[in-house]
Amino acid sequence: MASSLKSWFPIPKSSHFSLANLPFGIISTSSKSTPRAAVAIGDHCLDLQEFSSSGAFSTLGIDASVFSKSTLNDFAALGRPVHRSVRKFLQEVFAEGGPHAKTLQSDESLQKKCLLPRDQVKLHLPMHIGDYTDFYAGRNHAFNVGCLFRGPDNALQPNYTHLPVGYHGRASSIVISGTPITRPNGQILENPAATPKVPTFSACKRLDIELELGAFLCKSNDMGKPVPISEAADHIFGFVLLNDWSARDIQAWEYVPLGPFLAKNFGSTISPWVVLTDALEPFRTSGIPNETQLLPYLQEKEEKNVYDIRLQVDITPEGHETTRILNSNGKNLLFSFPQMLAHHTISGCPMAVGDLLGSGTISGPEKGSEGSMLEVSKGGKETIKLNGGVERKFLQDGDTITMYGVCGTEETGLVGFGECSGTILPAPKL
Amino acid sequence: MASSLKSWFPIPKSSHFSLANLPFGIISTSSKSTPRAAVAIGDHCLDLQEFSSSGAFSTLGIDASVFSKSTLNDFAALGRPVHRSVRKFLQEVFAEGGPHAKTLQSDESLQKKCLLPRDQVKLHLPMHIGDYTDFYAGRNHAFNVGCLFRGPDNALQPNYTHLPVGYHGRASSIVISGTPITRPNGQILENPAATPKVPTFSACKRLDIELELGAFLCKSNDMGKPVPISEAADHIFGFVLLNDWSARDIQAWEYVPLGPFLAKNFGSTISPWVVLTDALEPFRTSGIPNETQLLPYLQEKEEKNVYDIRLQVDITPEGHETTRILNSNGKNLLFSFPQMLAHHTISGCPMAVGDLLGSGTISGPEKGSEGSMLEVSKGGKETIKLNGGVERKFLQDGDTITMYGVCGTEETGLVGFGECSGTILPAPKL
């Protein structure tokens, strides 16, 4: 395939959206405001509604009306074999000398209709998300945070290596990259050591990020019918970056005994293009070794069950230059997404197409690879020095966070996620 | 109004669905399988699609197409003043000598089309639920459970009286009364005292109920825009009974540090008829006194902020007679639903029409009023004696649980919820 991945269409070498990728998203344009499906390619995207209306997909035998929907749910529901054949077909459409190159290459009028500069399209949430679950499978993060709260000897709870710890999140608060995030107000305990413990009402003072991957599902299961681990990968449509913004002070006061709530539901940002599971296949690798003997329902045949994705986070304080504050990697997970799904459904929990699973914060083992500011600043005790003499412990109003994730090399074509960004607005005055 | 609540239509005195109630639901019939809206009245229901197509609602100036939808979301979104006028109009249609009685009373052919025996209709989930949140506002339950885990001195966490503790639930697992519930499999710790802690895979052995009220929302708020406590009641469409089935052994092992997950997402049952907020107005009362000084965003002007609803739970083991295992009351809450909503959105969390809020388990203060078997059996230490010599600590396969809730008297007309029931199926063999 590598040789056919040279395209007749200009794709910058540094683009996350090489022919080896072709991620799916939902776009609209000023001339046509109805959201519809597209794939990203280089600095452009291919409007799939327009392209399919030319009859381009007729040889594939799929229902091309899925590309006219305002979410990717119906396309996702066609299943991974269909995603695979559509992506392969599109690779052949764009490949230099590919078997379907003539479809578009020789038709300038079709190109003009279908190939839109990406900076001229508006991006929408790619899926209708019925339910969102956030896991905690980044062992280094769980350990780092556990150390801050309970010391290294008790950092991880006894259940941690036996199952992917997770909790239900708030689907309505998932927003697309570029959506501003309003700093939450809430109850915080200014002095946790004082007695009695009396909270004050305040804007969050310890506003943080969490660097995660998100997986969208493409297959449902009925209530009472678990998804076996051997079939779980077939349920995963593709991946996005996920910034699980977190209000640490609100969280510390509210989270016992039922878990994080308002500390998490004021907004979670995802990158707009869904990178198909197939596009990440070449980048499979092993995750964090788990020495615990897992119960059979979590035992995965595939040892390379996570992905080698270079993850980076930049901060841009308003009016200042950008600083890269961390570098991590998607492989820093103790459990894979198939394991998360097998666990999630072992109770019989029904999952739907479009449901989103978050990985948990992906921290690497070494300094500079921590996936949250809580970790980098050691619980707010140390200052993070940024370019231009700016300092941070947590986020300030006007700060913009941008996450990136990319696999592969420019030689064979990058497979990346684009940007996952958000800017902090001040808390409402109440 | 009391005098006009006598109906020309036969309504059994013992019916939960008197003229003082008129709850809304979604029905289908064997002759017309498309789900549509209805109100329950006595042993019948009024098919609102059919009734509105006769032009009955034309004087109200509302868009009657909402009654042809497969959920009540669009009707709910019209707002509480519209719910009020529709309910009042329907009361006048059914009232003896009421101003609109002739609409239906004198038209036998319309009666035949619209008034369906309730035992001949199929009931569906009344709302599309975007997100579901479960609170923990039943102070007696929280205290009882806290005692079991930590003893009476530390039963309630320091945050408990300052805010309505809550967590995000799983919307996809909400089912309607009558849906069987499959016992979940999962990881349990057979011997919590042993070291190291190694879980086993098992069907849940401590399957439990939780007696709750659920509130559906009829008004959305944008992300970043909290709902003030003074406006929160306008966001509440109506109420249902909620059985938050719980796998106590799975919960005990999994819930640290992020809260309950698989212990809750295998199914939660609601009663099918939404009792409008207006129908409960006459039954307002005071809840459990809270001596904590609340922050202003939780201070409610209305002191009577909960409802006097008699709650009952019956168990029917397969092949055995029914035993009433508990009597509680809807007033046993420390926080009201408006307080829950004001708290939920103080972070800026966006809520949508159709979202469901659970109260948390509603236990009374005295013996026999505990809202879960965990409490009645003192954590599984004591046996619950049922009629016919049957004993239980937790639920067995084939057990049917039926919850009831009712307000008022037969004199003025009962306002009730009907049944919220479910039968336990065996865990899947894996």
Side-chain angles (χ1 to χ4, degrees), chain B residues 248-325:
Chain B
R248 300 297 181 194
D249 39 10
I250 293 172
Q251 185 176 350
W253 171 239
E254 75 172 0
Y255 93 105
V256 280
L258 300 182
F261 180 46
L262 302 187
K264 300 284 191 172
N265 67 15
F266 58 93
S268 304
T269 306
I270 60 169
S271 56
W273 296 101
V274 182
V275 176
L276 294 190
T277 305
D278 280 317
L280 290 179
E281 281 300 306
F283 311 106
R284 281 186 171 280
T285 186
S286 300
I288 298 173
N290 191 348
E291 273 141 41
T292 296
Q293 172 70 32
L294 293 178
L295 286 165
Y297 81 95
L298 287 174
Q299 289 173 13
E300 211 172 357
K301 278 203 183 133
E302 177 63 60
E303 275 182 33
K304 296 186 170 184
N305 59 0
V306 295
Y307 303 105
D308 179 6
I309 306 169
R310 301 185 295 280
L311 300 169
Q312 301 168 326
V313 179
D314 288 356
I315 184 169
T316 313
E318 196 174 8
H320 290 89
E321 60 182 303
T322 295
T323 305
R324 176 139 303 163
I325 50 172

Side-chain angles (χ1 to χ4, degrees), chain B residues 147-230:
Chain B
C147 285
L148 290 173
F149 285 107
R150 293 176 295 272
D153 291 343
N154 298 301
L156 297 178
Q157 302 287 341
N159 59 17
Y160 188 80
T161 60
H162 290 277
L163 53 80
V165 169
Y167 67 107
H168 302 120
R170 177 86 196 172
S172 73
S173 66
I174 306 283
V175 296
I176 196 160
S177 179
T179 309
I181 298 293
T182 302
R183 181 183 299 274
N185 288 306
Q187 295 195 15
I188 67 175
L189 200 60
E190 297 273 1
N191 182 359
T195 320
K197 296 185 190 302
V198 178
T200 52
F201 184 78
S202 170
C204 170
K205 296 177 181 179
R206 292 162 70 96
L207 187 57
D208 198 0
I209 59 170
E210 290 197 337
L211 169 63
E212 305 196 17
L213 285 170
F216 278 113
L217 301 189
C218 58
K219 203 169 174 179
S220 63
N221 65 292
D222 291 336
M223 199 169 100
K225 307 281 186 200
V227 177
I229 184 85
S230 60

Side-chain angles (χ1 to χ4, degrees), chain A residues 128-132 170-172 352 355, chain B residues 70-73 124-134 169-176 214-217 240-242 268-271 274 351-358:
Chain A
H128 169 75
I129 303 167
D131 279 289
Y132 157 52
R170 176 87 197 171
S172 72
D355 285 350
Chain B
S70 62
T71 68
L72 296 174
N73 291 51
H124 301 264
L125 266 187
M127 307 285 281
H128 169 74
I129 303 167
D131 279 288
Y132 158 51
T133 298
D134 200 19
R170 177 86 196 172
S172 73
S173 66
I174 306 283
V175 296
I176 196 160
F216 278 113
L217 301 189
V240 290
L241 301 175
L242 169 63
S268 304
T269 306
I270 60 169
S271 56
V274 182
M351 314 292 290
V353 172
D355 285 350
L356 179 65
L357 307 182

